[in-house]
């Protein structure tokens, strides 16, 4: 007769092969299950702050040094069409940890006290649901979501370690501080490992390249890797100017510092014998902190690196172009850990079929974006639908001038651009960037830089109508409060 402990272990993995459909309630696990033959996987969720696909070796940048991320990509699946729903820190993180769009979970903007946007208290988050299913949960580094009762972790690791700087800027120290948590018990764990790099750092000096957290003497255990501004790659949405190159060089250095923390953490997992049985997710909350990316729904702000390393995968080194949303991360991890029972509704779905080789998420032909505010003074609600061919952005408050985050409009990149507003900022004019129409429709195959708006052209009215219909239907399903603007207008 099996022991109670063995029976509970077998029940805990009963849903390991369950796929969670979008907007669906997951049914309870079947009563009869087979004997568990493997341990439940651990989860390490690594999240960067403002890291785009522009600065990572595995995505084709041959200048930047990111050996740990490149090695992780070789061990896992690299997703090339993975999208945040909002290019803003707190809203994006709230989506990642709930599987719900920001307009559904209530996290409409930054969570800082001065802004105070928080999720509804009835929302269920990934760490709470995993803890309820037998996981130890711990977090270290940047948090930036609230309330704590919703996004609760059992342990906050090393909150007092920093010495004159934030621990989220010192990646090797951060990894070392998290190491004891990995082997604390035989219970499976969920570690939320959140950098502050490569976010800009204040105070912001409009005429000086931001340091992106880089400092003289670096940080404990970190080897400073510096870059020649002449050799960085300027993304097409940015102007090729000395001020831009100087800031990109600092940004690269911050990314390489972060990569050393990832290397330290992975080495600790391997030393503890946990690496093979650990799911590792690497992604960013939003794109690079430059005007034209962060806080926008253009691809530089929301098309982001995503790597998922599975335990004992036979698909190591695979690449997927499936359309993926940050709403998918929570249902995916709950599915992979066997915790997909008695769950709330999600706006995303499990990626397990794609991780197993499916070319697309079953039933999906588009993903959606939802940005309302960054700072509380930056009211500019936008909703988006995107497939592999077209993108439609609905600028709900289009008569307003597009607002910019304080770390962006005080950057030397933007200051230099405003001194010569007659020159294109990347591939669009500053006027076009600041003053946007109600609808922006782009053919991403012929116009990947999203500069030729097709919304008013007769030849594209059929595509516009189809995408508008799908977008409005999705917003109704996800109970978007801003949908009232359609009725009002």
């Amino acid at each position: 007769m099996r022991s109670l402990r063995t029976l509970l272990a077998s029940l805990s993995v009963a849903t390991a092969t369950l796929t969670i459909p979008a907007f669906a309630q997951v049914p309870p696990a079947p009563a009869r299950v087979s004997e568990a033959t493997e341990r439940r996987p651990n989860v390490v969720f690594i999240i960067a702050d403002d890291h785009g696909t522009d600065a990572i070796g595995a995505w084709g940048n041959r200048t930047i040094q990111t050996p740990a991320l490149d090695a992780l990509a070789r061990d896992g699946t690299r997703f090339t069409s993975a999208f945040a729903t909002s290019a803003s820190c707190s809203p994006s993180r709230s989506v990642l940890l709930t599987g719900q769009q920001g307009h559904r979970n209530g996290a409409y903007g930054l969570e800082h006290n001065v802004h105070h946007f928080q999720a509804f208290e009835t929302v269920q988050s990934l760490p709470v649901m995993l803890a309820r299913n037998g996981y130890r949960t711990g977090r270290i580094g940047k948090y930036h979501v609230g309330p704590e009762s919703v996004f609760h972790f059992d342990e906050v690791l090393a909150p007092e370690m920093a010495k004159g700087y934030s621990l989220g800027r010192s990646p090797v120290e951060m990894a070392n501080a998290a190491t004891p948590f990995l082997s604390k018990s035989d219970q499976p764990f969920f570690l939320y490992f959140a950098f502050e790099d490569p976010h800009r750092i204040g105070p912001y000096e409009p005429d000086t390249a931001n340091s992106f957290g880089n400092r003289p003497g670096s940080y404990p255990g970190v080897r400073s890797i510096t870059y020649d501004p002449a050799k960085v790659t300027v993304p097409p949405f940015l102007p090729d100017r000395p001020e831009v190159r100087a800031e990109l060089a600092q940004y690269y250095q911050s990314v390489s510092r972060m990569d050393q923390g990832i290397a330290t953490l992975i080495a600790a997992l391997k030393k503890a014998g946990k690496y093979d049985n650990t799911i590792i997710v690497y992604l960013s909350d939003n794109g690079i902190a430059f005007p034209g990316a962060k806080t926008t729904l253009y691809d530089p702000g929301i098309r982001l690196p995503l790597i998922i390393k599975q335990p004992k995968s036979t698909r190591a080194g695979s690449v997927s172009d499936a359309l993926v949303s940050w709403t998918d991360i929570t249902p995916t991890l709950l599915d992979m850990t066997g915790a997909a029972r008695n769950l709330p509704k999600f706006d995303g779905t499990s990626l397990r079929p794609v991780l197993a080789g499916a070319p697309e998420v079953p039933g999906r032909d588009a993903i959606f974006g939802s940005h309302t505010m960054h700072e509380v003074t930056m009211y500019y609600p936008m909703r988006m639908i995107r497939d592999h061919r077209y993108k439609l952005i609905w600028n709900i408050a289009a008569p307003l001038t597009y607002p910019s985050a304080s770390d962006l409009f005080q950057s030397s990149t933007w200051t230099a651009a405003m001194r010569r507003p007659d020159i294109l900022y990347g591939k669009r004019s500053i006027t076009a960037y600041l003053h946007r129409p109600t609808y922006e429709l782009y053919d991403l195959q012929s116009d990947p830089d999203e500069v030729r708006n097709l919304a008013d052209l007769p030849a594209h009215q059929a595509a516009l109508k189809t995408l508008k219909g799908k977008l409005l239907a999705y917003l109704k399903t996800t109970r978007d409060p801003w949908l009232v603007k359609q009725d009002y207008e």
Side-chain angles (χ1 to χ4, degrees), residues 233-362:
T233 301
V234 179
F237 74 93
L238 291 175
D240 192 347
R241 296 177 177 172
E243 296 85 358
V244 173
R245 287 183 170 275
E247 292 211 299
L248 286 172
Q250 294 288 336
Y251 164 65
Y252 278 25
Q253 182 176 341
S254 183
V255 171
S256 288
R257 179 174 69 254
M258 176 184 71
D259 188 79
Q260 294 177 56
I262 294 171
T264 304
L265 180 65
I266 289 176
L269 282 167
K270 290 179 176 179
K271 184 176 181 180
K274 304 286 187 178
Y275 183 78
D276 289 342
N277 194 43
T278 297
I279 301 163
I280 300 178
V281 176
Y282 175 81
L283 50 72
S284 177
D285 55 2
N286 50 251
I288 181 174
F290 282 73
K294 185 177 179 178
T295 76
T296 79
L297 290 180
Y298 299 132
D299 273 13
I302 59 172
R303 190 171 195 165
L304 304 174
L306 171 62
I307 301 168
I308 300 179
K309 194 279 291 183
Q310 304 177 76
K312 301 178 181 178
S313 173
T314 59
R315 292 183 50 76
S318 60
V319 178
S320 172
D321 193 43
L323 287 169
V324 170
S325 167
W326 276 190
T327 58
D328 299 331
I329 301 303
T330 279
T332 297
L333 291 176
L334 291 171
D335 190 6
M336 294 176 73
T337 56
R341 295 179 294 171
N342 303 317
L343 301 178
K345 291 183 179 179
F346 298 116
D347 299 331
T349 189
S350 175
L351 299 175
R352 283 191 73 175
V354 178
L355 289 166
E360 292 287 349
V361 176

